[in-house]
Amino acid sequence: MEWQQYELEREQRLANARDHAASIPLEEIDVGHWDLMRDDTIWPYFERLRREEPVYYHKDSIVGPFWSVTNYELIKAVDSDAEQFSSEPTIGLNEVSAEDSASSFISMDDPHHAVQRKAVAPVAGPRNLAALEPQIRGRVVGILESLPIGETFNWVDKVSIELTTQMLATLFDFPFEDRHLLTRWSDIATSPRKAGLWDTVEERQRELNECLQYMTRLRDERAKKPGGYDLLTMLAQNEGTKNMSPVQFLGNLLLLIIGGNDTTRNSISGGVLAMNRWPEEFKKVKADRSKIPNAVAEIIRWQTPLAFMRRTTTRDVDLAGTVIPKGERVLMWYASGNRDESVFENADVLDVDRTNARQHLSFGFGVHRCMGNRVAELQLRILWEEMLERYSQIEVVGAPIRAISNFVRGYTHLPVRLHV
Ligand code: HEM
């Protein structure tokens, strides 16, 4: 399907969703249903929840009962209150075993969380990133120079995935020729069985064990070598992390691989899509490159690569007049907070000059705020600088295909043609 045709049909779908969202009883709204995300029609449902019940209990959701928090200020309030809203046992919707629950620091509360985060945080800090910038730029240029001009290709495969994979290899100082293993492990860990990457639980576990063995070997080598700013050296040499159990080591590796993979990948694809929907914005950044950093923040707001994070109440909590009982699943819908009109005017639209774009919630808020946010921004900034240098247009020529997930807001396919 042509892009224009896709856009017309999308408008129609959205108009239908607006009517539907306005007419059904609140209890029929299920923002946990992945179809709403896949069809990109979730927005009017969020809008209604924000307006009528920003703290809402979905008792009959397809994913089982949970609470939605949908407005900007309340999401911040929940994310800032780790005592009453715990990240344990998990930040995902599905319940996990006790062993898996303590397997990475994103799903731990302080003080354990803080110790492990502190050990690896420097890799994503300003000093390390400044040192990595020339290497990242070199890799971005290498990828862009290999792309065909005037021919249709899948942007997701050739650019978004390739670039994030190379970036991860840089952060881990991972053997470059084996870098595709990183994407493979991330995909295996995050894909549901129905996506077709694995058939049996044993098969999945076998591949994850391969990841563990490969990484353990690298870590043991690095433990003996002094210095080094890559993630594995840090995990190997830091007091807080060097004696982790295999389950914890694997959990933290997967956190770092997944954290840096799907999210950045989908911001890269989402940015190109949004610049096609609002071509004036592309012209503005093309004419004035100093707008790129703000445009990057705005792309990350607009895309919101992770739709939510989950918390679990540690006691009965009164949130804006609604009592959430102890032990309940609470989803902070960043995707909804980022479209909250009381904070972001014309929130559905990409606006590279938006003055408060940086206040988006895509990286979360509070003690778990994304550790790799500067890495992601750096990567996107360099990519846009190099793309604007080379191309007069990055034209989307057909329908994007979205991932089937209520959590990762992403794309598997984006047909693009480059013009110089
Ligand atoms: C646009 C790209 C990215 C987005 C939207 C994103 C989003 C998020 C979000 C929403 C959280 C949870 C925040 C919370 O619970 O309050 C998070 C945590 C985290 N992210 Fe990212 N992320 C991105 C890129 C990255 C990259 C590139 C890395 C690694 C290099 C990374 C590593 C992590 C880690 C380790 C955590 C756990 C932090 C903690 O629990 O203290 N992320 N990210």
Side-chain angles (χ1 to χ4, degrees):
M1 189 194 302
E2 292 294 314
W3 165 249
Q4 278 80 7
Q5 179 65 20
Y6 165 79
E7 283 290 83
L8 286 175
E9 288 185 16
R10 197 192 67 90
E11 276 300 325
Q12 189 54 53
R13 268 203 316 274
L14 205 53
N16 295 345
R18 257 181 233 120
D19 291 345
H20 186 245
S23 62
I24 58 176
L26 220 47
E27 55 270 26
E28 281 179 28
I29 292 183
D30 184 4
V31 284
H33 204 305
W34 42 87
D35 279 357
L36 296 183
M37 209 71 92
R38 187 199 54 194
D39 298 344
D40 205 22
T41 50
I42 201 162
W43 311 110
Y45 301 95
F46 277 146
E47 201 268 328
R48 178 143 177 232
L49 286 175
R50 282 197 303 271
R51 194 163 19 93
E52 293 181 23
E53 299 257 3
V55 180
Y56 187 71
Y57 184 56
H58 302 271
K59 63 178 188 316
D60 295 318
S61 168
I62 189 164
V63 291
F66 69 90
W67 292 78
S68 272
V69 180
T70 46
N71 93 18
Y72 182 92
E73 291 303 335
L74 291 176
I75 291 168
K76 265 168 79 171
V78 172
D79 222 349
S80 318
D81 184 355
E83 270 197 19
Q84 301 199 89
F85 296 96
S86 169
S87 294
E88 298 178 10
T90 171
I91 45 77
L93 256 170
N94 296 334
E95 300 308 333
V96 292
S97 66
E99 195 184 47
D100 280 347
S101 103
S103 65
S104 78
F105 62 84
I106 199 168
S107 51
M108 286 178 190
D109 292 329
D110 285 342
H112 302 294
H113 155 262
V115 172
Q116 295 197 9
R117 176 172 168 130
K118 204 166 144 225
V120 286
V123 78
R127 207 158 66 105
N128 207 29
L129 289 186
L132 287 177
E133 180 164 344
Q135 202 177 350
I136 296 173
R137 191 175 296 277
R139 290 185 166 167
V140 168
V141 169
I143 291 173
L144 295 183
E145 296 282 303
S146 73
L147 298 175
I149 304 294
E151 274 173 41
T152 302
F153 64 92
N154 181 7
W155 183 262
V156 175
D157 279 344
K158 280 212 181 328
V159 184
S160 309
I161 294 182
E162 187 53 35
L163 186 55
T164 25
T165 305
Q166 293 197 12
M167 174 74 216
L168 276 177
T170 311
L171 287 181
F172 278 86
D173 197 7
F174 192 83
F176 200 61
E177 62 287 1
D178 279 350
R179 65 189 183 280
H180 298 296
L181 285 173
L182 293 168
T183 325
R184 172 81 190 164
W185 292 328
S186 174
D187 290 344
I188 290 279
T190 53
S191 305
R193 192 196 309 254
K194 62 177 180 290
L197 282 178
W198 51 275
D199 272 334
T200 61
V201 176
E202 292 73 36
E203 207 179 293
R204 178 173 182 268
Q205 197 52 50
R206 188 176 42 72
E207 286 216 40
L208 295 181
N209 281 342
E210 279 168 24
C211 167
L212 178 62
Q213 278 162 16
Y214 196 124
M215 292 292 201
T216 305
R217 185 169 52 75
L218 291 181
R219 180 188 63 175
D220 293 348
E221 286 165 17
R222 310 256 166 104
K224 294 176 207 135
K225 273 201 246 156
Y229 272 97
D230 64 279
L231 275 167
L232 285 167
T233 301
M234 286 183 193
L235 288 171
Q237 298 190 0
N238 187 282
E239 286 305 317
T241 54
K242 69 181 188 190
N243 295 320
M244 275 184 203
S245 69
V247 171
Q248 275 201 346
F249 182 53
L250 181 64
N252 279 306
L253 288 174
L254 290 177
L255 168 62
L256 295 161
I257 297 174
I258 297 165
N261 189 29
D262 271 341
T263 50
T264 317
R265 176 200 297 187
N266 290 318
S267 311
I268 293 174
S269 306
V272 168
L273 189 151
M275 292 286 189
N276 274 263
R277 187 166 294 155
W278 295 284
E280 286 306 313
E281 303 307 296
F282 181 82
K283 285 189 197 136
K284 285 185 207 161
V285 274
K286 175 95 180 150
D288 178 358
R289 314 279 162 90
S290 72
K291 291 186 191 290
I292 293 176
N294 201 59
V296 164
E298 173 66 352
I299 287 168
I300 295 173
R301 178 197 71 86
W302 182 81
Q303 179 59 32
T304 319
L306 297 180
F308 64 81
M309 283 282 149
R310 164 192 166 171
R311 296 293 185 259
T312 304
T313 39
T314 57
R315 58 188 80 134
D316 293 359
V317 186
D318 183 334
L319 185 63
T322 303
V323 176
I324 307 179
K326 179 179 174 179
E328 296 282 313
R329 301 191 293 180
V330 180
L331 302 197
M332 306 176 286
W333 285 102
Y334 300 136
S336 174
N338 280 342
R339 302 288 172 110
D340 188 334
E341 289 281 337
S342 67
V343 179
F344 303 108
E345 207 175 311
N346 284 330
D348 287 336
V349 169
L350 185 93
D351 171 3
V352 297
D353 292 320
R354 189 182 292 284
T355 49
N356 64 353
R358 301 202 74 81
Q359 287 166 25
H360 67 72
L361 297 172
S362 302
F363 292 130
F365 198 79
V367 293
H368 285 278
R369 182 174 155 82
C370 176
M371 201 195 80
N373 66 79
R374 288 201 193 87
V375 179
E377 286 175 349
L378 177 71
Q379 204 174 339
L380 283 160
R381 171 171 66 73
I382 294 174
L383 177 66
W384 278 97
E385 283 170 2
E386 297 298 332
M387 289 198 302
L388 292 167
E389 196 61 36
R390 286 173 174 71
Y391 313 125
S392 60
Q393 199 188 356
I394 304 146
E395 185 190 6
V396 175
V397 292
I401 300 176
R402 290 190 165 73
I404 305 176
S405 169
N406 54 16
F407 175 60
V408 174
R409 293 193 7 85
Y411 310 86
T412 55
H413 198 80
L414 186 68
V416 156
R417 203 173 297 150
L418 295 174
H419 302 273
V420 287

